[in-house]
Amino acid sequence: MRTAVCPGSFDPVTKGHLDIIKRASRLFDRVIVVVLQNTSKKNTFTIEERVHFIEESTKDIDNVSVEAFDGLLMDYCRMRNAVAVVKGLRAVTDFEYEFQMSLINKQLNPDIETVFINTAQEYMFLSSSVVREVASFGGDVSQFVPDPISEEITKKLVKGGEKK
Ligand code: PNS
């Protein structure tokens, strides 16, 4: 059983993330999506909300499960006997940060490989921050986030709690 971990802050999960998760699920026997703390980001959604959004978006994929973890990604991978970390790579701007992370993670746990999957062209410029910004001004984010959670995300993000 080869387990891969898809880590991220997922604040919130986007169609771009979901595309990577689906593609990882075809490469590995089991994929665990883990919601972690990125210390350089201030989160909008709680851990519980972020886990819930991913669960709703992945419930039709048999070999995918979702968890939250407060700690180092490499400790989590060790705990779950994972063989790989899967991350999506968007435009070149992602590369330096992701490359640095993968090298640090390799130092922390040499047994785990980081596998990069290129983001699909249509999601190249999609990010959680874009979703948050568009929704906060009452814009339609249904094309950016998985269908089952689009309404819930919009309601939670629209300024003042009311859709404009
Ligand atoms: O979606 P993101 O914010 O790019 O994901 C980054 C994340 C959460 C995967 C990364 O910050 C992380 O692995 N956080 C857990 C702590 C850790 O292991 N950091 C790496 C060693 S410095």
Side-chain angles (χ1 to χ4, degrees):
M1 166 85 76
R2 298 179 81 75
T3 300
V5 167
C6 280
S9 34
F10 303 109
D11 190 36
V13 65
T14 67
K15 281 189 175 172
H17 292 131
L18 186 59
D19 177 55
I20 299 293
I21 295 165
K22 279 186 181 158
R23 287 157 68 195
S25 75
R26 292 184 214 119
L27 295 175
F28 294 91
D29 301 313
R30 183 167 76 127
V31 170
I32 313 175
V33 183
V34 64
V35 180
L36 294 162
Q37 191 62 41
N38 181 337
T39 49
S40 60
K41 289 183 184 168
K42 220 172 153 269
N43 295 119
T44 299
F45 291 101
T46 65
I47 290 268
E48 291 76 19
E49 285 171 329
R50 287 180 274 154
V51 167
H52 162 72
F53 290 146
I54 306 166
E55 277 173 348
E56 284 298 305
S57 311
T58 58
K59 60 184 174 199
D60 57 340
I61 320 173
D62 288 345
N63 62 340
V64 171
S65 58
V66 190
E67 282 189 337
F69 184 68
D70 187 14
L72 283 176
L73 171 60
M74 287 300 109
D75 289 342
Y76 179 80
C77 289
R78 200 175 279 119
M79 200 171 83
R80 291 284 174 258
N81 285 320
V83 295
V85 163
V86 174
K87 290 224 80 179
L89 260 195
R90 289 173 301 188
V92 279
T93 43
D94 274 350
F95 182 77
E96 201 168 326
Y97 169 76
E98 294 296 348
F99 192 56
Q100 181 192 17
M101 277 293 156
S102 72
L103 292 178
I104 291 177
N105 285 333
K106 195 76 184 163
Q107 296 267 341
L108 294 172
N109 186 344
D111 297 332
I112 307 281
E113 297 300 336
T114 298
V115 176
F116 292 115
I117 296 182
N118 282 352
T119 296
Q121 214 169 322
E122 68 257 49
Y123 305 130
M124 208 61 161
F125 296 100
L126 178 56
S127 66
S128 299
S129 57
V130 163
V131 169
R132 292 196 303 270
E133 170 123 0
V134 171
S136 74
F137 290 106
D140 177 15
V141 293
S142 58
Q143 59 193 310
F144 303 134
V145 297
D147 297 337
I149 57 168
S150 157
E151 215 173 298
E152 209 176 333
I153 285 184
T154 308
K155 269 195 202 134
K156 287 195 167 134
L157 283 175
V158 169
K159 283 191 172 155
E162 292 283 318
K163 197 172 188 324
K164 284 180 184 168

